[in-house]
């Protein structure tokens, strides 16, 4: 039996961040990370397309929490203790320069996730955190006040343990055996599979500001929309996939969406089109794109409105004007399935949040059992928010364990 003061299960973002901060804040503690794989920080490596989207430039806790479909209420207090500005200061103090991009995402200026990995590995060495790879956890048990963990490579004991294993069903099962409730995991960040004549020939086209609704639900979002080879993506769709994760899973990812490409009402659009009918009377509708819509998208919506390619504005009858207004403001698409968004394997699901004390991130069921990151039923939209949850939870755990 190898004895440690603190065992961190999971060598990912939350695990490393916690272990480093524990060891730095209390150098007397003997801290070890147990990682089941042969490499650590694998998710950090692929995140943000290999650039590592460290966090997001949102500096007000009450605004930041709005990006968490699950965890919004619980994270408000923690974000007052440690959030975006603290994350940036932490990395910059350790020589990692960061930059804020136009859309608010924050990356290392190196544009390489390896910079973050090197920082963590070096800090772990500096503070004598032992990193044990190929240690897959088989059992977690407690005898009196001591935690025992059996791995494929041996047995360990510790006064305090942190579970930071992300969405790992085996660990969730072990936590269930300890009495915790697990919310059933479902995918949370995904793109929509759509086969539709209007979009089949225009992959790569981006409509900058659209509104998207899922019909027969209260789900809606706004933002850019990207047409892809398999359907639709970009923030407007990803937000829907995150906030609608449970509802869309129930529907087996078969549902209808309604898109307002111009963010105007049907009536306002009709009025606009009537003016254009007079002003652009002799011009071909197909060739005179409006509302700053990409030309190829405009052309597909015109054809879908039963308007011939050579029809002029003056030629349009009432039905065609109605059709075009409908395509621009209330276009309905059938979604049939989902695809993973890049390498962002995000799931909703995890430890029931009612069973965690969010002042400390400690289990309410067992003393000295802590959680951080996606092992909890917390997830976010894309843009660095899932990492911020990991840093915040891990930091608060470290403060409490290192006392």
């Amino acid at each position: 039996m190898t004895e440690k003061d603190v065992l961190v299960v999971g060598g990912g973002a939350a695990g490393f961040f916690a272990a480093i901060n524990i060891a730095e804040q209390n150098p007397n503690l003997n801290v070890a990370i147990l990682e089941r794989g042969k490499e650590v920080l694998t998710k950090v490596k692929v995140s943000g397309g290999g650039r590592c989207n460290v966090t997001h430039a949102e500096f007000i806790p009450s605004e930041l929490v709005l990006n968490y479909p699950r965890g919004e209420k619980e994270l408000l207090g923690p974000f007052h203790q440690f959030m975006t500005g603290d994350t940036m200061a932490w990395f910059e103090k350790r020589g990692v320069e960061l930059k804020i991009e136009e859309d608010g995402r924050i990356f290392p200026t190196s544009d390489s996730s390896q910079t973050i990995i090197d920082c963590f590995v070096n800090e772990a060495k500096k503070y004598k955190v032992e990193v044990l790879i190929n240690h897959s956890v088989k059992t977690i048990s407690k005898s009196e006040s001591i935690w025992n963990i059996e791995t494929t490579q041996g047995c360990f004991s510790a006064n305090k343990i942190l579970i930071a294993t992300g969405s790992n069903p085996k660990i969730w099962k072990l936590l269930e055996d300890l009495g915790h409730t697990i919310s059933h995991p479902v995918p949370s960040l995904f793109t929509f599979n759509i086969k539709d004549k209007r979009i089949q020939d225009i992959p790569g086209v981006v409509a900058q500001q659209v509104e998207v609704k899922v019909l027969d639900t209260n789900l809606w979002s706004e933002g850019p929309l990207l047409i892809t080879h398999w359907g639709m993506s970009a923030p407007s769709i990803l937000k829907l996939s995150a906030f609608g994760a449970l509802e869309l899973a129930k529907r087996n990812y078969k549902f209808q969406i309604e898109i307002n490409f111009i963010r105007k009402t049907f009536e306002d659009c009709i009025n606009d089109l009537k003016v254009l009918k007079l002003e652009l009377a002799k011009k071909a509708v197909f060739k005179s794109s409006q509302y700053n819509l990409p030309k190829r998208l405009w052309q597909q919506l015109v054809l879908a409105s039963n308007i011939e390619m050579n029809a002029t504005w003056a030629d349009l009858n009432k039905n065609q004007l109605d059709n075009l207004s409908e395509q621009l403001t209330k276009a309905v698409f059938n979604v049939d399935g989902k695809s993973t968004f890049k390498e962002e394997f995000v799931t909703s699901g995890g430890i029931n949040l009612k069973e965690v004390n969010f002042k400390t991130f400690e289990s309410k069921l067992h003393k000295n059992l802590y959680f951080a990151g996606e092992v909890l039923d917390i997830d976010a939209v894309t843009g660095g928010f899932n990492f911020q949850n990991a840093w915040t939870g891990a930091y608060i755990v470290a403060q409490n364990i290192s006392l």
Side-chain angles (χ1 to χ4, degrees):
M1 179 78 76
T2 307
E3 291 180 16
K4 301 285 176 188
D5 295 313
V6 182
L7 284 170
V8 175
V9 182
F16 260 82
F17 202 72
I20 291 162
N21 281 295
I22 292 164
E24 181 184 14
Q25 289 170 31
N26 188 342
N28 298 321
L29 292 177
N30 189 332
V31 183
I33 294 173
L34 301 173
E35 166 55 44
R36 67 175 170 163
K38 61 180 189 291
E39 284 180 40
V40 294
L41 299 161
T42 50
K43 201 166 170 185
V44 171
K45 193 173 183 69
V46 298
S47 75
R51 296 199 296 147
C52 189
N53 184 182
V54 177
T55 184
H56 200 95
E58 176 50 76
F59 300 97
I60 301 164
S62 59
E63 295 289 322
L64 182 58
V65 294
L66 299 178
N67 295 285
Y68 296 84
R70 282 148 292 276
E72 177 185 338
K73 184 165 87 307
E74 290 79 8
L75 287 173
L76 186 59
F79 282 157
H80 278 92
Q81 289 186 61
F82 188 93
M83 63 173 289
T84 315
D86 305 296
T87 299
M88 294 179 77
W90 192 94
F91 281 108
E92 283 167 356
K93 183 181 169 190
R94 288 156 182 80
V96 177
E97 284 184 40
L98 301 174
K99 60 175 178 178
I100 302 175
E101 299 203 336
E102 262 182 47
D103 59 5
R105 291 183 302 162
I106 297 173
F107 292 91
T109 52
S110 64
D111 276 331
S112 169
S113 55
Q114 196 59 45
T115 306
I116 304 298
I117 294 169
D118 292 345
C119 169
F120 281 163
V121 170
N122 293 337
E123 290 289 304
K125 275 185 192 150
K126 178 177 168 184
Y127 293 109
K128 300 183 173 55
V129 172
E130 194 175 358
V131 180
L132 301 165
I133 56 169
N134 295 315
H135 277 66
S136 187
V137 170
K138 291 163 75 178
T139 65
I140 301 172
S141 60
K142 197 179 184 185
S143 51
E144 292 179 11
S145 62
I146 300 296
W147 285 97
N148 300 302
I149 294 181
E150 182 194 354
T151 77
T152 45
Q153 306 245 20
C155 297
F156 298 81
S157 68
N159 298 320
K160 300 181 179 185
I161 62 172
L162 164 63
I163 309 296
T165 45
S167 305
N168 181 333
K170 281 185 183 166
I171 298 295
W172 279 335
K173 177 72 181 77
L174 294 178
L175 293 170
E176 269 188 319
D177 294 343
L178 289 169
H180 272 287
T181 313
I182 306 299
S183 303
H184 181 67
V186 297
S188 173
L189 271 187
F190 50 86
T191 60
F192 293 174
N193 294 353
I194 298 170
K195 284 198 169 82
D196 192 291
K197 198 175 171 187
R198 288 167 289 181
I199 61 170
Q200 69 183 16
D201 295 326
I202 57 168
V205 165
V206 177
Q208 282 306 336
Q209 274 301 325
V210 306
E211 285 175 7
V212 190
K213 286 196 289 203
V214 178
L215 294 179
D216 302 323
T217 73
N218 295 323
L219 295 167
W220 76 280
S221 74
E222 56 189 7
L225 180 135
L226 168 68
I227 291 163
T228 68
H229 286 286
W230 59 87
M232 292 179 182
S233 183
S236 63
I237 298 297
L238 296 169
K239 270 188 240 169
L240 272 187
S241 75
F243 281 89
L246 303 178
E247 180 62 40
L248 302 182
K250 268 189 225 161
R251 292 165 185 251
N252 201 22
Y253 307 105
K254 294 183 195 305
F255 51 92
Q256 289 188 312
I257 55 172
E258 182 183 283
I259 301 176
N260 187 333
F261 286 106
I262 62 173
R263 300 181 72 179
K264 285 193 166 201
T265 65
F266 176 84
E267 290 75 18
D268 285 348
C269 182
I270 281 282
N271 292 333
D272 291 348
L273 297 181
K274 285 176 181 169
V275 172
L276 292 168
K277 184 173 156 71
L278 297 172
E279 288 182 349
L280 305 176
K282 292 181 179 172
K283 292 200 167 169
V285 181
F286 185 80
K287 289 183 177 169
S288 41
S289 173
Q290 300 298 317
Y291 300 107
N292 291 322
L293 281 180
K295 191 169 72 182
R296 290 193 296 156
L297 175 60
W298 169 264
Q299 291 174 344
Q300 291 304 319
L301 297 178
V302 167
L303 295 177
S305 307
N306 292 324
I307 298 169
E308 301 290 332
M309 280 177 78
N310 56 1
T312 64
W313 283 93
D315 294 334
L316 297 188
N317 60 34
K318 184 182 181 302
N319 270 355
Q320 290 170 315
L321 288 171
D322 283 354
N323 290 346
L324 184 53
S325 185
E326 186 133 326
Q327 290 294 335
L328 291 167
T329 64
K330 297 196 286 192
V332 175
F333 292 85
N334 293 315
V335 177
D336 185 8
K338 60 176 175 51
S339 296
T340 304
F341 173 64
K342 297 185 180 172
E343 294 87 7
E344 307 281 353
F345 302 113
V346 177
T347 61
S348 79
I351 294 158
N352 188 309
L353 304 185
K354 290 188 173 72
E355 299 169 359
V356 180
N357 175 357
F358 280 91
K359 289 195 170 86
T360 58
F361 283 75
E362 186 177 17
S363 164
K364 287 181 181 176
L365 279 58
H366 298 282
K367 197 166 171 48
N368 296 325
L369 168 62
Y370 294 84
F371 306 110
E374 274 190 58
V375 70
L376 294 160
D377 187 15
I378 292 176
D379 62 287
V381 299
T382 184
F385 301 105
N386 282 300
F387 273 139
Q388 186 55 54
N389 165 45
W391 313 140
T392 295
Y395 190 84
I396 291 172
V397 166
Q399 279 188 308
N400 286 280
I401 284 182
S402 60
L403 290 173

